[in-house]
Amino acid sequence: MFFKTIEELVNAAQERNLTIGQVVLEKQAKQLDKSPKEIFQKMTNQYQVMQEAAWKGINHPAKSFSGLVGHDGAKVMHRVKNGKSILGSLLGKAVARSLAVGEVNAAMGKIVAAPTAGSCGVLPACLISVEEEYAIPKEKVVEGLLTAAGIGLIIAKNASISGAEGGCQAECGSASAMAAAAMVEILGGSPKQAAHATAISLKNILGLVCDPVAGLVEVPCVKRNAMAAVNAITAAEMALSGVESVIPVDEVVAAMLEVGEALPSSLKETAKGGLANTPTAKILEKRILK
């Protein structure tokens, strides 16, 4: 059985002076009856798919079948590489890559659901950009991916990672929390700091609705990946600086569950409310259906 709470996971890591990623690797190896080397290789392969999706979305952008999204990641990366981005290198590249991976998904390309297809751009954008910016060894980045996986497993068990169940806070919010924790450990932070980053990032996306135009994982989903990535980096920065969440991380997860249950069905992936119910969205929906 995996850990019931993030606090339990953090305590297990601190007691043995390990990272969350290392603890997750051991636990998963035992649960799946595989060697740690096999699990680590599988995660390395997943990271490779993430990298390929980010590269493809930037260098060979394609429009989605609906025509609603496409090429925006490349546009942002162009500004970054020309030194014009007001976000700077790290944030600018993370925004570009999060858009790019979301666009690859919308164009039916190969991505890693992290934790879902609708939030697939957040984690790769953050990890790839941090790896590049700080010359982090790939093995350390993959360990961070394991950290993210452990956090995601607990959120999924105690709340939700489904937009249909908990709104976009459960998808982009969970992805942002996973990415924040991973970056903290990749950059040398403690398990406790990773937990604070998780809480800070998740708190900032509480209540985010899921209102896809025409029921497609495109608008506003792809751009929300970019905002979730920036949120994750901001939360990681605060946690690494010693900033702590007043509300414990597991209570934040519980609050997300409560908020998700309170959201009306029109704001949980049904395309019947929010942005999906605007006049322009209705026009687009009719056009796409034709």
Side-chain angles (χ1 to χ4, degrees):
M1 184 177 179
F2 199 69
F3 298 93
K4 294 181 179 179
T5 66
I6 294 174
E7 182 181 15
E8 286 183 6
L9 176 56
V10 168
N11 289 340
Q14 289 187 150
E15 287 169 4
R16 298 176 57 199
N17 198 28
L18 298 174
T19 65
I20 290 174
Q22 290 168 340
V23 172
V24 172
L25 178 60
E26 284 186 2
K27 194 75 169 180
Q28 287 290 283
K30 290 180 180 178
Q31 288 186 317
L32 300 175
D33 194 26
K34 294 182 181 295
S35 69
K37 184 177 180 180
E38 287 178 293
I39 298 295
F40 197 85
Q41 183 58 53
K42 182 175 181 180
M43 294 303 283
T44 301
N45 295 342
Q46 296 292 315
Y47 186 54
Q48 181 65 35
V49 173
M50 290 179 173
Q51 290 177 305
E52 290 170 357
W55 184 88
K56 182 179 180 181
I58 295 294
N59 295 287
H60 297 284
K63 281 282 187 181
S64 64
F65 294 132
S66 71
L68 293 178
V69 299
H71 301 271
D72 289 340
K75 292 175 186 175
V76 175
M77 187 63 82
H78 180 73
R79 274 181 59 84
V80 175
K81 289 186 175 180
N82 284 311
K84 296 181 178 180
S85 173
I86 62 175
L87 296 173
S89 179
L90 176 61
L91 278 178
K93 289 177 180 178
V95 167
R97 287 174 173 135
S98 59
L99 290 171
V101 176
E103 290 168 347
V104 168
N105 175 58
M108 303 301 164
K110 187 177 182 180
I111 53 90
V112 176
T116 66
S119 59
C120 66
V122 182
L123 194 53
C126 291
L127 298 191
I128 295 168
S129 299
V130 166
E131 177 188 18
E132 182 178 286
E133 192 76 10
Y134 296 99
I136 306 293
K138 182 168 289 186
E139 293 75 15
K140 187 66 177 176
V141 179
V142 174
E143 187 178 301
L145 193 56
L146 284 157
T147 299
I151 296 296
L153 279 169
I154 295 172
I155 292 176
K157 180 179 179 181
N158 294 334
S160 177
I161 57 170
S162 166
E165 190 172 32
C168 196
Q169 60 166 7
E171 294 203 24
C172 282
S174 296
S176 188
M178 292 161 63
M183 285 186 287
V184 166
E185 290 207 324
I186 288 170
L187 294 172
S190 67
K192 186 176 179 180
Q193 287 176 319
H196 282 299
T198 300
I200 292 168
S201 59
L202 199 54
K203 286 192 299 186
N204 294 333
I205 302 187
L206 282 182
L208 184 59
V209 302
C210 184
D211 49 355
V213 172
L216 302 173
V217 188
E218 298 182 21
V219 177
C221 319
V222 172
K223 294 181 181 69
R224 281 182 179 162
N225 274 252
M227 302 309 296
V230 172
N231 180 60
I233 294 171
T234 303
E237 175 68 17
M238 284 193 276
L240 286 167
S241 301
V243 177
E244 298 185 348
S245 173
V246 174
I247 307 301
V249 62
D250 291 303
E251 291 184 29
V252 176
V253 173
M256 187 179 79
L257 174 62
E258 179 186 352
V259 172
E261 291 176 341
L263 287 175
S265 62
S266 61
L267 300 177
K268 293 193 281 190
E269 209 172 322
T270 59
K272 294 181 179 180
L275 293 176
N277 198 38
T278 59
T280 297
K282 291 300 182 182
I283 293 171
L284 290 171
E285 183 177 10
K286 288 180 181 179
R287 189 197 76 191
I288 292 166
L289 289 176
K290 288 182 180 178

